[in-house]
Amino acid sequence: MTRLTGSALRVTVLVGENDTWHRKPLYTEIVHRAHAAGLAGASVFRGIEGFGASSLIHTTRLLSLSEDLPVAVVIVDTEERVRAFLPQLDELVTEGLVVLDPCEVIRYTGRDGDQGATDAPGKRPL
């Protein structure tokens, strides 16, 4: 079980949906490497509109431009663990943006079969 509460570091990796690493989506490689590194968690969010270094706007509203939409991979863990993971992002992200933000984690509990437990009487499980 993983418990992370208090100060943490959030890394957001902004890339294009069509960016690849060895013929598979770059965002998939980032998530799998974060998992292999034992980070607390990673999520991928697909944008509906955006632009980057090319200044070309990608949007879902125009059929001809609905390719290569922005994708954000968000990872949160302790500062030490996130910073140890940064060299892997240096290797993977050739075009894109990596943003680091200090944040505070209220509660993170891994799945260990104790999902029916509650923190206080009368409260629903989170």
Side-chain angles (χ1 to χ4, degrees):
M1 174 174 19
T2 302
R3 291 183 189 265
L4 176 63
T5 303
S7 296
L9 193 62
R10 174 178 52 211
V11 59
T12 304
V13 184
L14 301 163
V15 294
E17 184 177 35
N18 291 340
D19 293 347
T20 60
W21 178 261
H22 297 277
R23 294 190 296 264
K24 67 181 184 182
L26 176 58
Y27 58 84
T28 297
E29 183 67 18
I30 293 169
V31 168
H32 285 259
R33 287 195 186 194
H35 183 262
L39 295 176
S43 297
V44 178
F45 301 94
R46 183 176 187 233
I48 58 172
E49 188 167 40
F51 71 93
S54 71
S55 294
L56 178 63
I57 294 180
H58 302 274
T59 178
T60 58
R61 292 183 292 148
L62 302 172
L63 222 51
S64 63
L65 296 178
S66 64
E67 301 168 359
D68 203 25
L69 291 167
V71 172
V73 182
V74 179
I75 303 166
V76 177
D77 207 318
T78 63
E79 181 171 358
E80 178 182 319
R81 293 172 67 90
V82 168
R83 290 202 183 275
F85 185 68
L86 291 179
Q88 293 199 53
L89 294 178
D90 287 340
E91 176 188 353
L92 295 171
V93 181
T94 57
E95 285 186 25
L97 184 66
V98 176
V99 179
L100 298 173
D101 298 301
C103 62
E104 180 135 355
V105 173
I106 302 300
R107 177 180 178 206
Y108 174 84
T109 303
R111 294 181 184 95
D112 68 344
D114 197 25
Q115 294 181 11
T118 60
D119 286 340
K123 289 214 171 185
R124 295 183 315 149
L126 297 176

